[in-house]
Amino acid sequence: MEQWLVGVDLGGTTVKLAFVNMYGEIICKWEIPTDKSEQGKHITTHIAKAIDEKLRELDESKERLIGIGIGAPGPVNMATGDIYEAVNLGWKNFPLKDRLEMETGLPVVVDNDANIAAIGEMWKGAGDGAKNLILVTLGTGVGGGVIVNGQIVHGTNGAGGEIGHITSIPEGGASCNCGKTGCLETIASATGIARIATERLQRTDEPSSLRDVWKQVGAVTAKDVFDAAKENDTLALQIVDEVTFHLGLALAHLANGLNPEKIVIGGGVSKAGSMLAQAVARHFKRFAFPRVAEAADIVIATLGNDAGVIGGAWLVKTNMM
Ligand SMILES: [Zn+2]
């Protein structure tokens, strides 16, 4: 009987689940809403139920499953599988590994959500097997995962890979959710890009197709900025240049310390595609040590929403077999 790995990507609004085979191919994937009521205490029960129900639906027994690899949105205590804090879920020192093992009767490996996405891209996505890889995800925030010699860098207390909080504007930058100011996240997230665009529109009366969107809808999004830039809108091109300058600079700093083979850009903003990758690469090359720049390939993530569940499956494969 072929055995399956269970990958779970736990987010603030949905829990993504998948049964994955040993080759990293998804057998079946689905999602359930994240129940954040009562400080998220029902989440593990719902995951266990979702797995049981899916097995029943497929007419399969639990013997098929080797274990669960789960990514959670917060720093992880790697020794215990506890989540130090997941603000989105209402968790503080939550014993995720213990609870989920109890509920499912399966062994569980826990890691951070951005880290498992990085592992997923390494195994089956844009990483293309590269063992030294940096993933940066540009979504509502900026997340990241760093892989060195095929291993996730967790750091001393679970905060390794927090690329979004590299300081890009040392003085006078925008406030970040982490409590600092001027973090990369305040610039290169979808939220940050929209903020920069809005400020620019307010400050100048430069003609731009973004101004029309802004007047009609009352707001501009990161997607609007990239769409306008693709049409050679001057203001939009300036904003893209500013954002990718900071991304390229931060990634060059990081890469100078790590000498990665692949730098993968994921998250919703990465839908901007090759225009984004090329602009980041142009700035990156200016700031990276020449030998580092030569080795590093800057690419767009290919797995989309599946990166997390595939990375979770990899954790099971490498930790439980
Ligand atoms: Zn921050």
Side-chain angles (χ1 to χ4, degrees), residues 162 164-167 174-186:
E162 286 294 349
H165 304 287
I166 291 176
T167 301
S175 302
C176 182
N177 291 327
C178 74
K180 300 199 294 130
T181 60
C183 293
L184 180 62
E185 177 163 303
T186 67

Side-chain angles (χ1 to χ4, degrees), residues 216-296:
Q216 275 165 22
V217 191
V220 283
T221 64
K223 183 177 184 301
D224 294 330
V225 172
F226 281 98
D227 286 349
K230 280 174 190 165
E231 300 295 323
N232 280 321
D233 183 276
T234 310
L235 185 71
L237 284 169
Q238 284 167 5
I239 297 165
V240 169
D241 191 60
E242 178 179 340
V243 168
T244 55
F245 165 86
H246 286 292
L247 261 171
L249 176 63
L251 290 169
H253 286 328
L254 200 56
N256 282 349
L258 295 167
N259 192 194
E261 181 180 343
K262 296 270 184 190
I263 296 175
V264 183
I265 306 174
V269 174
S270 73
K271 293 198 179 105
S274 60
M275 177 197 209
L276 172 67
Q278 281 164 17
V280 173
R282 196 171 63 242
H283 291 296
F284 176 85
K285 280 203 166 68
R286 283 176 58 205
F287 301 117
F289 180 62
R291 211 170 155 73
V292 167
E294 209 174 280

